Amino acid sequence: MSRPPQSPFALFAIDHLLSEEERAIRDVVREYVDSEIAPHVADWFESGEIPARRLAKELGTLGVLGMHLEGYGCQGMSAVSYGLACLELESGDSGIRSLVSVQGSLAMFAIWRFGTEEHKQEWLPRMAAGEAIGCFGLTEPDFGSNPGGMRTTARRTANGWLLNGAKQWITNGTLADVAVVWARTEEGVRGFLVEKGTPGFTSSDQHGKFSLRASTTSELGFHDCEIPADAILPGSRGLKSPLMCLNQARYGIAWGAMGAAEDCWHRARQYTLDRKQFGRPLASNQLIQKKLADMQTEIALAMQGCLRLGRMKDEGIAAPEITSIVKRNSCGKALDIARMARDMHGGNGIVDEFHVIRHMLNLETVNTYEGTHDIHALILGRAQTGIAAF
């Protein structure tokens, strides 16, 4: 789908702020989404199943899995390039961007940042190619916003470690060849690599979702699951380690949410131009034009925040609170835009043919995971006042 006149990109001349390489990456991912994702995603969403293995290999060939990491088969691209890829992927569907985010910014980043050289050599080249899939086990059935309440434990044994506990809402969980699992030890929270098929390690799909249906969401169980001594990620130390991973993922989410928002805005604009009511296009009404202007404004301004954050990350000067601001703003505004687009489509807005209801339902999750809208507000409040309110 070509971009409409007066897109937020054109108004702020964002293309002029991007390098030739960044524009090329964006365009390649856009073409892939248009040809390989957009024609099929409504069916995947309806069935609740996606060809994840095939998509992972295609995305690996495209070079977007762990694209912002250096070495080990990864592309070493800029943070801005990664953000633009997330933008285009989520214009197709939040579930596709989630697959890429969890693979690259959570599982691969954890191995790249905290693992041994052997861990990196064993897993990262295959994960970058999409030949192996990873997941990230932090959230638990009773603890989402409060990871400090973690109950999963790892106890040293004569042969290694014994894991017991459960994780929930884990993207790619039943698909994963390797799970990055966070557990309490006598030394504090540490990260571990648990391979598929390890005795005592179980996974099952989460059913009944009305959101992110084009994504595999799972529960993980560890029942006297014995893993070798070298399964620990030696560089991991305390909760700050998984939170570093989450900060990487939140950055991609901030860009991705704007991709979904822009797709909703584009579709609402075209629909109201095409739809005739009372003898004239819906777009001729003042209320409709105001809504389109509001969408355009929020997308244009949010994109500036995403781009600035990306440049700061590339310069190594981005504080975690900046990511909270941009993730919180992008997700909240994108959800508002999707809801508005659904309303502008009238009854047609609930039909998959018009796609906006799919984006709206997905964004309910995107606004919640990796730190809810309110939790990020409290992170910012703590930074301003010095007082933790959670």
Side-chain angles (χ1 to χ4, degrees):
M1 189 186 305
S2 60
R3 295 193 185 275
Q6 293 296 296
S7 85
F9 286 87
L11 283 174
F12 276 87
I14 285 180
D15 271 20
H16 293 283
L17 304 177
L18 304 177
S19 69
E20 182 177 346
E21 180 181 70
E22 288 164 348
R23 290 194 298 271
I25 290 167
R26 178 200 62 193
D27 292 345
V28 165
V29 177
R30 182 183 299 171
E31 290 172 7
Y32 173 77
V33 171
D34 286 346
S35 63
E36 304 301 326
I37 303 299
H40 311 292
V41 71
D43 291 335
W44 297 340
F45 190 92
E46 183 176 3
S47 68
E49 297 179 355
I50 61 170
R53 289 276 175 190
R54 174 173 65 79
L55 292 177
K57 289 183 179 179
E58 291 174 358
L59 291 163
T61 300
L62 213 60
V64 300
L65 299 179
M67 63 185 287
H68 51 310
L69 304 179
E70 293 278 355
Y72 307 100
C74 303
Q75 300 297 312
M77 297 291 185
S78 69
V80 170
S81 294
Y82 173 57
L84 290 165
C86 288
L87 176 93
E88 297 300 334
L89 289 166
E90 195 149 352
S91 72
D93 191 82
S94 302
I96 307 303
R97 196 268 310 140
S98 289
L99 188 158
V100 171
S101 287
V102 169
Q103 179 86 338
S105 290
L106 293 181
M108 291 178 69
F109 178 81
I111 296 169
W112 182 84
R113 179 67 176 79
F114 304 120
T116 64
E117 183 63 24
E118 289 74 17
H119 291 150
K120 297 172 190 178
Q121 294 286 358
E122 179 179 3
W123 289 108
L124 293 180
R126 287 192 286 151
M127 293 174 80
E131 295 170 359
I133 293 177
C135 68
F136 186 85
L138 178 63
T139 299
E140 298 191 353
D142 294 321
F143 296 98
S145 295
N146 176 26
M150 182 186 302
R151 291 176 179 160
T152 298
T153 61
R155 180 173 59 83
R156 287 188 186 273
T157 68
N159 299 317
W161 297 88
L162 198 66
L163 280 175
N164 279 284
K167 302 294 181 178
Q168 193 171 32
W169 306 116
I170 308 304
T171 298
N172 300 341
T174 55
L175 301 168
D177 300 287
V178 62
V180 176
V181 180
W182 301 92
R184 287 194 176 280
T185 74
E186 292 181 352
E187 306 160 358
V189 172
R190 306 296 295 275
F192 298 87
L193 298 183
V194 184
E195 295 189 37
K196 188 173 187 176
T198 300
F201 173 29
T202 61
S203 61
S204 59
D205 284 338
Q206 187 89 35
H207 296 291
K209 295 187 299 177
F210 281 76
S211 178
L212 283 187
R213 289 181 56 77
S215 176
T216 300
T217 309
S218 312
E219 299 178 16
L220 308 181
F222 306 95
H223 312 280
D224 289 334
C225 175
E226 191 162 6
I227 55 177
D230 61 3
I232 193 170
L233 297 174
S236 61
R237 289 288 189 279
L239 274 176
K240 68 179 182 180
S241 296
L243 293 179
M244 284 178 63
C245 302
L246 291 179
N247 211 46
Q248 297 295 318
R250 289 163 178 165
Y251 167 71
I253 290 168
W255 282 89
M258 283 299 103
E262 192 181 19
D263 194 60
C264 287
W265 167 70
H266 185 179
R267 292 179 185 282
R269 172 188 170 273
Q270 193 61 55
Y271 183 82
T272 56
L273 285 169
D274 295 339
R275 181 76 166 177
K276 303 293 193 303
Q277 291 291 308
F278 306 107
R280 59 180 185 168
L282 280 175
S284 65
N285 291 286
Q286 290 182 351
L287 281 173
I288 293 295
Q289 293 194 10
K290 179 188 180 299
K291 290 176 180 179
L292 292 172
D294 287 345
M295 291 178 174
Q296 183 184 51
T297 299
E298 297 297 352
I299 295 169
L301 296 177
M303 283 300 306
Q304 294 299 304
C306 290
L307 183 57
R308 177 58 187 148
L309 173 57
R311 295 295 184 219
M312 292 175 73
K313 285 181 72 65
D314 284 328
E315 294 168 21
I317 59 172
E321 290 80 10
I322 302 298
T323 302
S324 285
I325 287 176
V326 179
K327 191 273 184 185
R328 181 175 187 267
N329 181 71
S330 288
C331 294
K333 294 298 173 56
L335 182 54
D336 290 343
I337 287 166
R339 288 169 174 167
M340 192 180 299
R342 208 294 313 152
D343 180 72
M344 291 163 72
H345 279 72
N348 285 331
I350 69 167
V351 181
D352 61 6
E353 176 186 352
F354 296 90
H355 297 281
V356 290
I357 187 67
R358 175 172 52 81
H359 282 307
M360 189 191 87
L361 291 170
N362 284 339
L363 287 166
E364 291 285 356
T365 296
V366 176
N367 194 43
T368 298
Y369 67 13
E370 313 285 359
T372 69
H373 197 260
D374 288 341
I375 286 293
H376 283 294
L378 297 181
I379 290 171
L380 297 170
R382 179 182 60 187
Q384 291 182 49
T385 66
I387 302 170
F390 55 91

